[in-house]
C-alpha cells in the first residue's frame, strides 16, 4: 500500500542531500559503500522486497558512482507520446 505522504517526497526537499535507490542487492551494496566513503550526507532507499528476494552473491570490491544513473529500459518517442502525463 502507498501512503499519502511518502518519505521520499519529504527527503527530496532537503538541499545538499544525495538520494539513491537500488534495483538489485548488488547495486544496493555498491551504492552503500560509495555513500559511506563520500563526505556529504546521503540516503539510500532499498525496497524491503528486494532484500528479501536477494539470494545472489554480491561483489565486495565494487563501489558505484553516486553521480551516474543506470538506464534499465530505453523507451522510444512513440511510447512516451502515447502515455499519460504525470502531474
Amino acid at each position: 500500500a502507498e501512503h499519502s505522504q511518502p518519505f521520499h517526497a519529504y527527503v527530496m526537499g532537503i538541499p545538499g542531500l544525495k538520494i539513491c535507490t537500488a534495483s538489485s542487492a548488488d547495486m544496493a551494496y555498491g551504492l552503500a559503500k560509495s555513500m559511506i566513503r563520500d563526505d556529504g550526507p546521503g540516503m539510500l532507499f532499498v525496497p524491503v522486497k528486494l532484500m528479501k528476494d536477494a539470494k545472489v552473491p554480491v561483489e565486495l570490491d565494487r563501489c558505484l558512482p553516486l553521480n551516474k544513473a543506470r538506464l534499465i529500459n530505453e523507451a522510444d518517442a512513440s511510447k512516451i507520446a502515447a502515455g499519460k502525463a504525470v502531474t
Side-chain angles (χ1 to χ4, degrees):
E2 184 69 32
H3 298 288
S4 62
Q5 297 176 344
F7 188 62
H8 299 76
Y10 172 74
V11 172
M12 285 174 43
I14 300 173
L17 186 67
K18 294 178 184 171
I19 304 166
C20 297
T21 188
S23 61
S24 68
D26 192 36
M27 287 186 74
Y29 183 83
L31 286 170
K33 195 169 183 179
S34 296
M35 292 182 95
I36 290 169
R37 292 180 178 185
D38 191 54
D39 290 334
M43 289 197 87
L44 175 62
F45 289 102
V46 181
V48 175
K49 185 177 180 184
L50 173 74
M51 301 316 286
K52 288 181 180 179
D53 293 341
K55 305 272 191 260
V56 296
V58 175
E59 289 183 45
L60 299 179
D61 297 334
R62 187 171 157 192
C63 287
L64 294 177
L66 297 177
N67 61 346
K68 302 264 183 198
R70 180 177 170 209
L71 180 64
I72 297 173
N73 294 323
E74 187 173 349
D76 60 6
S78 63
K79 290 182 181 177
I80 295 171
K84 295 182 180 178
V86 178
T87 57

